[in-house]
Amino acid sequence: MQQAGGMTNRTWMTAGVWIIATVAIGMVLNQGARILAPFAMAIFVWLVMEGFARAIRKPFPNIPNWLAHTFAIAVVAVSIIGFASIMRGAIGEFTERAGEYESRINSLIEQTYNMLGLTGDPADVAADASGPPQAATPASEPAPTPPRESPLTPGEAAALANVDTPPPVIEPAPVVATDDATRTVATGKPPTISDLFYSDTTIGLAQAAANSVSGLVGDMVIIMIYVAFLFVTANTFTRKFDRIFSRHEDRERARLIGADVRRTMEQYLWVQTSLSIINTSLTYVTLLALGLHNALFWAFVIFVLNYIPTIGSIIAGILPALFAFVQDDWPSYMPQDELWCAAAVFFGVSIWQFLIGNFLGPRMTSNSLNLSALVVLLSLAVWGALWGLPGMFLSAPLTVLVMIVLAQIPGARWIAVLMSADGNPGEYAVKHDEASDEVGDG
């Protein structure tokens, strides 16, 4: 049935199916984040190992496949162990000064609240809460009776006994504010960093850092288990794809799509890791020269944040500067004002982020992701909402995966064109399919 504007019922039905499928997939990804996010990380680690094994076989074509994979696994395992050791030392160095940092941050929060007038004098607030003082009359003392010169006669005493007298009025006890209420409500005491950022107010910076490391180690163990099983089952992937795609054209198309996805993912991960290592090394030397405490810890944080597109580099410059603001001992050649020291740290970190991100990075990546800048931001928000921090790390490669797959679907190719940076999301499988269709028509 043809409707106004050239839209058919089939078109509306297709659009509705796409919307329902998108919502359903989003709910599944969100609800299964605890399982799917580590598995996605494991796939990318496995791709790195596979790419490294192929890189070894290029200059040495006669080397056995199992030996190349063994060497690749050993190199990646040693890198992960070294990374974990550096992380452990950096976290240990940070926790040694966590109490000092926390005390300084709480002092700054209190100064800020007092400067903005968000707190009041405890005596004034307590006086306002209790109201004006009132003189209390003891209820236990009987009202004075006028003296009588002569005693009552028996008749007068009996008459007075039959008179109904109102019950005595008992005044309520005055409400006195307790010490806890005075501290938490009446005085308007400024919150601490634990009150602002943690649900449990007894948790400090050291405990929060230890909890983060414990969760990260647990996730790494799960990821490595997934990687091990991926290596065990990798040899059966080709045979399974042959069974799934019985037609030669479909099998060749799937092979081309898989090769394109693998090439893009491997290139992105290798380039991003190389850029992060260069950036982290230069930043670590800069922070040591400036005299910032825990330079190794901040270098580790910056290395991780470099995998988050766009906002990762911004956060990498802000976080060390904030902690530089609470550091009270600096080398003699640094300014004595903490504000200028924080500005110097921010500039020292941001300059490397700017130079590498705008000059070295584009030359190494050569726009391999081919994603629009707006799509990068949207993907960061979407994957971050679905999977949290792991989703932010994987937002760019996962979005490229979606774009490549959509580019091979005739009805959804326009979405891939909008997602791409240059309007060309990929032509390999589409050209092959069109050629096969022409042969079939002929």
Side-chain angles (χ1 to χ4, degrees), residues 22 25-27 29-30 33 374-392 394-396 398-399 402:
T22 302
I25 293 173
M27 292 182 62
L29 291 175
N30 188 16
L374 179 60
V375 173
V376 172
L377 289 177
L378 290 177
S379 66
L380 182 66
V382 171
W383 288 108
L386 292 176
W387 286 355
L389 194 59
M392 293 183 179
L394 301 175
S395 61
L398 288 175
T399 306
V402 173

Side-chain angles (χ1 to χ4, degrees), residues 31-381:
Q31 296 299 321
R34 296 285 298 177
I35 300 174
L36 297 177
F39 183 69
M41 293 288 293
I43 291 177
F44 285 103
V45 173
W46 175 70
L47 287 175
V48 171
M49 294 182 178
E50 284 287 321
F52 190 56
R54 280 192 298 273
I56 295 173
R57 288 197 302 268
K58 281 184 179 180
F60 306 101
N62 295 327
I63 191 172
N65 189 25
W66 65 268
L67 183 59
H69 279 87
T70 302
F71 186 74
I73 294 173
V75 171
V76 174
V78 170
S79 301
I80 293 176
I81 294 174
F83 180 79
S85 301
I86 294 175
M87 180 186 67
R88 179 182 178 183
I91 295 296
E93 184 181 356
F94 177 80
T95 53
E96 290 179 359
R97 297 180 177 268
E100 177 185 345
Y101 289 149
E102 188 171 358
S103 176
R104 177 65 173 164
I105 292 173
N106 291 335
S107 176
L108 291 175
I109 293 174
E110 184 176 0
Q111 294 176 11
T112 303
Y113 268 65
N114 293 334
M115 181 179 63
L116 297 177
L118 300 178
T119 59
D121 186 22
D124 296 339
V125 178
D128 295 339
S130 60
Q134 296 180 357
T137 302
S140 60
E141 296 182 2
T145 57
R148 293 181 58 90
E149 296 180 356
S150 59
L152 295 176
T153 62
E156 293 175 344
L160 291 176
N162 294 329
V163 177
D164 295 333
T165 58
V169 178
I170 301 176
E171 296 291 337
V175 178
V176 179
T178 61
D179 293 339
D180 294 338
T182 303
R183 285 195 300 266
T184 59
V185 179
T187 63
K189 183 178 179 181
T192 63
I193 186 173
S194 299
D195 298 329
L196 293 176
F197 296 101
Y198 310 122
S199 57
D200 187 358
T201 56
T202 61
I203 294 180
L205 287 179
Q207 184 64 33
N211 293 341
S212 301
V213 173
S214 176
L216 182 60
V217 171
D219 292 339
M220 290 179 64
V221 171
I222 296 176
I223 290 172
M224 296 313 297
I225 293 175
Y226 283 145
V227 171
F229 278 91
L230 284 172
F231 268 106
V232 171
T233 59
N235 294 329
T236 63
F237 288 166
T238 303
R239 185 168 62 254
K240 291 178 180 179
F241 270 100
D242 293 340
R243 297 288 181 86
I244 294 173
F245 303 101
S246 57
R247 294 175 53 191
H248 175 73
E249 293 81 4
D250 296 337
R251 188 162 56 248
E252 183 67 14
R253 183 179 185 181
R255 186 189 65 81
L256 291 172
I257 295 174
D260 194 14
V261 170
R262 184 180 61 188
R263 177 190 58 80
T264 304
M265 298 300 103
E266 290 178 357
Q267 184 176 0
Y268 170 78
L269 292 174
W270 279 105
V271 170
Q272 198 65 28
T273 302
S274 302
L275 292 176
S276 297
I277 292 175
I278 297 173
N279 195 347
T280 302
S281 302
L282 295 173
T283 303
Y284 177 64
V285 174
T286 303
L287 294 179
L288 283 180
L290 293 176
L292 181 68
H293 292 166
N294 306 316
L296 184 61
F297 171 78
W298 292 117
F300 159 73
V301 172
I302 292 172
F303 177 84
V304 175
L305 289 175
N306 283 331
Y307 284 91
I308 301 178
T310 308
I311 67 171
S313 59
I314 299 175
I315 300 175
I318 293 176
L319 285 181
L322 290 177
F323 276 81
F325 190 70
V326 302
Q327 180 175 324
D328 54 359
D329 55 328
W330 291 90
S332 58
Y333 53 83
M334 291 293 291
Q336 298 303 315
D337 189 356
E338 291 85 355
L339 183 60
W340 287 106
C341 293
V345 170
F346 177 79
F347 178 79
V349 175
S350 300
I351 190 64
W352 297 121
Q353 296 285 342
F354 176 79
L355 293 177
I356 294 176
N358 290 275
F359 296 97
L360 183 60
R363 286 175 171 78
M364 293 182 65
T365 58
S366 299
N367 293 325
S368 60
L369 292 180
N370 193 22
L371 283 177
S372 171
L374 179 60
V375 173
V376 172
L377 289 177
L378 290 177
S379 66
L380 182 66

